Amino acid sequence: MASVDLRADNLLGISWVDSGWVPILNTGNVLDYFSERSNPFYDRTCNNEVVKMQRLTLDHLNQMVGVEYILLHVQEPILYIIRKQQRQSPTQVIPLADYYIIAGVVYQAPDLGSVISSRVLSAVHGIQSSFDEAMSYCRYHPSKGYWWHFKDQEEREKTKPKTKKKEEPSSFFQRQRVDALLLDLQKKFPPTYYQPKPGEKPVPVEVKKEADLPVETVKQEERETPAGKTPAPAPPSKPPPEKRARLQ
């Protein structure tokens, strides 16, 4: 059964297949398969039809003038390429169109202009779609200006767990001042124990104190001094007399 897939007004958008021929399709009968009446790609006024009606061989096509179909390339059992051409002489032809048969389905090969036009149209469509999508994310406000507003970014920020920023315990200036205060306190209040080596028992530090006056001497001075009076200051010590030279 033959079937035609009509997808567009031109021949580039349609395909044709006859499922009855597919199992027996080969190099010898592929042109007969292509010349079926239900095939929309086949021209009934071609020289192949004249040769077929006169029961001649395909070699007589070289002696005729007009439109003809030839088998251009074969890759059995799946690929066959048929060319439609205008014969002007036994040695001069003009290609008109190419048709390829894949697994029994006939398609028309696009020409170079159609390929370039399709690629350009696809590229323009992609660029236009990207511009339209970009403009949908653009926002403007007189006080802020232009910025981008992405919905996916908002959803990610909502689902993303909020992490607190780690604050520095102190600044360099604070550490420097604290070190100075600790050094001052260490000088005023030296440690009473020190550890010679890690893990050993701390050893007490011997602190030398100034010799104190005997308690009895202090009490005796308090007795000799009357109450309410301060002791008289001791007279300054006189230097020894200078020696004078003898007169002769």
Side-chain angles (χ1 to χ4, degrees):
M1 176 181 288
S3 62
V4 179
D5 185 8
L6 297 175
R7 298 183 181 178
D9 296 336
N10 60 351
L11 296 179
L12 295 176
I14 66 175
S15 63
W16 176 83
V17 61
D18 190 346
S19 57
W21 280 80
V22 175
I24 60 172
L25 198 61
N26 54 49
T27 306
N29 60 8
V30 64
L31 284 176
D32 296 332
Y33 171 66
F34 188 81
S35 62
E36 284 288 324
R37 292 184 178 276
S38 57
N39 184 8
F41 304 108
Y42 185 67
D43 186 2
R44 301 279 180 268
T45 61
C46 65
N47 293 339
N48 297 66
E49 194 70 15
V50 176
V51 171
K52 184 177 180 181
M53 292 176 62
Q54 295 179 3
R55 298 181 182 275
L56 301 175
T57 60
L58 296 177
D59 296 336
H60 290 78
L61 292 174
N62 297 333
Q63 308 301 326
M64 303 176 67
V65 177
V67 177
E68 64 182 22
Y69 294 91
I70 63 169
L71 183 60
L72 182 64
H73 177 73
V74 177
Q75 187 176 345
E76 290 185 321
I78 192 172
L79 177 63
Y80 303 91
I81 298 178
I82 296 175
R83 170 167 290 180
K84 180 181 179 181
Q85 59 188 10
Q86 177 74 35
R87 180 170 293 276
Q88 297 179 349
S89 67
T91 58
Q92 186 178 5
V93 294
I94 300 175
L96 300 178
D98 289 336
Y99 305 93
Y100 55 95
I101 304 172
I102 300 178
V105 184
V106 182
Y107 305 91
Q108 180 176 345
D111 56 288
L112 183 60
S114 301
V115 173
I116 295 176
S117 177
S118 176
R119 295 295 185 270
V120 171
L121 184 61
S122 300
V124 171
H125 176 71
I127 295 173
Q128 185 64 37
S129 300
S130 62
F131 273 112
D132 294 341
E133 186 174 359
M135 288 300 297
S136 65
Y137 297 122
C138 182
R139 299 291 185 273
Y140 174 76
H141 193 271
S143 61
K144 296 181 180 180
Y146 289 96
W147 77 92
W148 298 104
H149 180 74
F150 298 102
K151 296 180 180 179
D152 297 341
Q153 185 177 1
E154 290 184 355
E155 294 178 357
R156 287 196 299 267
E157 290 178 355
K158 290 180 181 179
T159 56
K160 186 179 179 181
K162 295 182 179 179
T163 56
K164 295 182 179 179
K165 295 182 179 179
K166 293 183 179 180
E167 297 181 358
E168 294 185 359
S170 60
S171 62
F172 176 75
F173 174 75
Q174 293 173 341
R175 291 194 295 271
Q176 191 176 16
R177 295 294 298 168
V178 170
D179 292 343
L181 293 174
L182 291 176
L183 184 62
D184 189 18
L185 291 174
Q186 185 179 4
K187 290 180 180 179
K188 291 182 179 179
F189 305 99
T192 56
Y193 291 88
Y194 75 96
Q195 192 174 13
K197 294 181 180 179
E200 294 184 357
K201 187 177 181 180
V203 180
V205 179
E206 296 181 359
V207 181
K208 295 182 179 181
K209 297 182 179 180
E210 296 180 359
D212 298 335
L213 294 175
V215 180
E216 296 180 355
T217 306
V218 175
K219 290 182 178 180
Q220 186 176 1
E221 290 179 355
E222 291 178 354
R223 292 174 185 174
E224 292 178 356
T225 305
K229 295 183 180 181
T230 57
S237 58
K238 295 181 180 181
E242 296 179 358
K243 293 182 179 183
R244 298 180 180 178
R246 295 180 181 181
L247 298 175
Q248 293 180 356

